[in-house]
Amino acid sequence: MNLITQLDGEAYQLDLENPISLAIPLKFNGEQPNHFGAPIASGKPLAGGGFVGDTKQGGSCNVEQISMTPHCNGTHTESIHHLVNDSISIGSIHSNSLTHALLISVTPKQANSTIDSYIPELENNDWVIDLAELQLHISNQDLAQAEALVIRTLPNHSHKISVIYSDEAQPPFFTQEAMQWLAQSSIKHLLVDFPSLDKMYDDGHLTNHHLYWNLEADSHELNDHARIERTVSEMIYVPDNAIDGFYALNLQVPAFELDAAPSRPLLYPLIKI
């Protein structure tokens, strides 16, 4: 199958044979990333009534019963229902099967090195992605063409696939000015390799989430201008062999009636024709 797309007036063929998965493989009961001290994603054979779902224990087939918290146990995608009372589930978000995605690599900086702000106020030991850093890597033209933005933070340590975020290992987050700039763009899907757009402990404001979905600060109510079509994917991992630039994104999300679900974003390289 050959798929062709147009980007900035040029034709590109999608390399369907070499997709790049951005999902962290989730090892139930094993080493895995974790946020907010949630229980680890775990699994066990279904058992009862003389049946055991484990062929190693003599069962006729394997049937696993799992327990997990999508927001905290690995790569996941969330809808505006993460913030609002209305049940706009991640499974109800309809998007194109393939979208133009821009991958960039950015270097977080200590809060005392930026002129940007955040609510609550930044502390010196915070690590942030500010507006200046984003604008170093994204031109206005590229931002106008991107339907999705994939952000890889540097250095790209492999420990991202198993890190336990804590007071001692707090992840970076966006400044308010950086998120306002992205929120004013045409981006529908934002994908990041850290566990939240916002600071780990932010007094419950979730400032950047509210800005991204165009909600009133601290509100749990929809408004006429809310961007209900947008998604956020967090805790992805971008392998080093993926170079910065444009791709086609296939954001694979199950039809869960929840505010978030485990997901498997795939990037397809574009080959200029």
Side-chain angles (χ1 to χ4, degrees):
M1 179 183 295
N2 292 324
L3 294 181
I4 308 297
T5 187
Q6 295 282 332
L7 185 64
D8 196 23
E10 302 284 350
Y12 294 85
Q13 181 174 319
L14 278 64
D15 185 357
L16 299 177
E17 299 298 320
N18 295 289
I20 300 169
S21 176
L22 305 182
I24 296 173
L26 184 53
K27 301 176 182 178
F28 289 87
N29 303 316
E31 190 177 52
Q32 58 186 254
N34 186 278
H35 191 224
F36 260 121
I40 68 167
S42 60
K44 62 181 180 180
L46 180 67
F51 172 80
V52 59
D54 186 353
T55 57
K56 294 178 181 178
Q57 297 183 48
S60 59
C61 58
N62 293 304
V63 182
E64 194 83 358
Q65 182 177 349
I66 64 171
S67 175
M68 68 177 302
T69 305
H71 283 286
C72 302
N73 293 143
T75 305
H76 62 276
T77 299
E78 55 197 40
S79 73
I80 196 172
H81 184 35
H82 186 39
L83 296 186
V84 300
N85 298 325
D86 299 73
S87 296
I88 303 172
S89 69
I90 190 59
S92 71
I93 302 295
H94 298 290
S95 63
N96 295 332
S97 297
L98 295 167
T99 57
H100 290 147
L102 176 62
L103 166 63
I104 64 169
S105 299
V106 301
T107 303
K109 62 183 66 171
Q110 281 196 278
N112 58 10
S113 300
T114 183
I115 61 172
D116 285 6
S117 61
Y118 186 72
I119 299 174
E121 289 188 9
L122 293 172
E123 300 179 88
N124 287 338
N125 62 343
D126 290 334
W127 287 87
V128 297
I129 301 165
D130 67 1
L131 177 59
E133 179 65 17
L134 287 182
Q135 292 181 332
L136 273 177
H137 303 280
I138 312 175
S139 68
N140 288 328
Q141 181 180 359
D142 284 348
L143 189 62
Q145 295 185 94
E147 298 166 287
L149 180 64
V150 181
I151 294 183
R152 167 173 48 198
T153 55
L154 300 177
N156 193 36
H157 293 307
S158 60
H159 80 268
K160 292 174 185 176
I161 66 175
S162 60
V163 62
I164 299 175
Y165 295 100
S166 63
D167 289 338
E168 292 74 33
Q170 290 200 35
F173 56 94
F174 293 100
T175 64
Q176 189 172 220
E177 288 77 7
M179 185 52 63
Q180 284 172 332
W181 188 61
L182 294 179
Q184 292 164 7
S185 74
S186 58
I187 288 172
K188 294 181 180 178
H189 308 290
L190 180 58
L191 299 88
V192 300
D193 66 0
F194 38 95
S196 178
L197 304 183
D198 283 292
K199 185 176 179 178
M200 190 169 178
Y201 300 107
D202 70 340
D203 300 330
H205 292 291
L206 281 84
T207 300
N208 290 327
H209 283 78
H210 281 81
L211 288 170
Y212 178 69
W213 277 305
N214 203 23
L215 298 169
E216 297 294 330
D218 298 316
S219 173
H220 299 298
E221 302 296 332
L222 286 178
N223 60 60
D224 292 339
H225 304 290
R227 300 294 301 271
I228 61 175
E229 78 283 8
R230 283 180 162 171
T231 71
V232 174
S233 298
E234 296 163 333
M235 295 174 81
I236 66 169
Y237 180 71
V238 185
D240 289 333
N241 65 345
I243 62 173
D244 287 6
F246 274 97
Y247 294 80
L249 169 70
N250 181 6
L251 182 57
Q252 300 180 353
V253 180
F256 283 11
E257 293 294 310
L258 297 172
D259 71 302
S263 59
R264 186 171 181 250
L266 292 177
L267 292 181
Y268 292 102
L270 301 178
I271 303 170
K272 190 174 181 180
I273 299 175

